Amino acid sequence: KRKTNEQMPQSEDFEAYGEYQYHYEQPEDPASAALAVERAQKAHASRKNHVFFRFLILLAIVTVGVVVAQQTIFRLETVYVIGNVHMSPQYVVAASGLSRGQNMLGIEEADVARCMAQDHTMIFKGMQKEYPSTIHLYIEERESVAAFQGLGYLYELDGQGMVMRMVADGVLPSGMP
């Protein structure tokens, strides 16, 4: 048989197996119970909002940090040219399209290869990024290995048949077929 509200005690202590202890309190009237439930729901909603706003602030801080790092830390400062013999490193860097202060994260090897392909005197072999601010360019200079005369011009060719130089009424270089 169930007890009614008047018969139930206002507070009750319970100990389970000598390990856990519970304390139960019952409100005196149902209106205060509804008020307690409402307060608990508001507190729960407030905690959820608090966690959301903390996450939002953390996300904003991380975003600002990434933007600042990208603008200040990852800037091109040094370019090393490997494989040049007769060309100056400055000439090779100018042909690559790289410039000091450029964002390292935005530099793509395909773009550098496209720029260097416009200069027929060198072959682009590859590029290596060394973060935060250094790039290594690997090139090979084309060398003239043969010459021929035709139509009043002297043509010097490399090993792949690329015309390296064209001179009007030139003298055949010695040591070249």
Side-chain angles (χ1 to χ4, degrees):
K1 187 174 177 188
R2 286 190 87 151
K3 298 180 182 180
T4 63
N5 268 350
E6 292 82 42
Q7 295 173 341
M8 291 191 71
Q10 295 299 325
S11 99
E12 179 180 332
D13 289 329
F14 176 74
E15 188 171 326
Y17 305 108
E19 296 178 16
Y20 303 103
Q21 190 172 21
Y22 299 99
H23 180 75
Y24 296 106
E25 287 190 20
Q26 288 204 301
E28 294 182 18
D29 64 341
S32 64
L35 185 62
V37 168
E38 185 179 323
R39 279 190 209 142
Q41 288 173 343
K42 283 182 181 179
H44 180 69
S46 174
R47 277 189 300 250
K48 284 174 74 175
N49 286 341
H50 186 68
V51 169
F52 174 73
F53 284 118
R54 275 191 175 175
F55 175 74
L56 195 61
I57 289 170
L58 178 66
L59 185 64
I61 290 170
V62 167
T63 303
V64 168
V66 166
V67 169
V68 167
Q70 185 178 7
Q71 296 298 324
T72 59
I73 296 173
F74 297 109
R75 290 288 175 199
L76 179 62
E77 293 294 325
T78 309
V79 178
Y80 293 108
V81 179
I82 296 120
N84 59 323
V85 177
H86 302 292
M87 295 179 188
S88 71
Q90 292 83 5
Y91 177 79
V92 175
V93 171
S96 71
L98 298 174
S99 61
R100 188 173 190 198
Q102 196 172 356
N103 187 342
M104 286 282 290
L105 302 174
I107 297 173
E108 297 292 331
E109 188 168 350
D111 296 335
V112 173
R114 193 176 316 109
C115 287
M116 292 188 77
Q118 294 175 357
D119 186 345
H120 71 284
T121 61
M122 66 182 120
I123 301 169
F124 178 68
K125 293 290 189 179
M127 176 181 90
Q128 178 185 1
K129 291 182 182 180
E130 189 177 307
Y131 289 102
S133 64
T134 304
I135 288 184
H136 299 272
L137 291 178
Y138 298 96
I139 67 159
E140 181 181 320
E141 291 183 10
R142 294 183 187 265
E143 297 288 329
S144 297
V145 295
F148 78 91
Q149 283 185 323
L151 302 171
Y153 290 99
L154 173 71
Y155 299 95
E156 290 184 16
L157 307 171
D158 75 342
Q160 296 175 341
M162 174 74 70
V163 176
M164 298 302 299
R165 192 167 69 132
M166 181 178 83
V167 181
D169 297 327
V171 178
L172 284 172
S174 61
M176 276 195 216

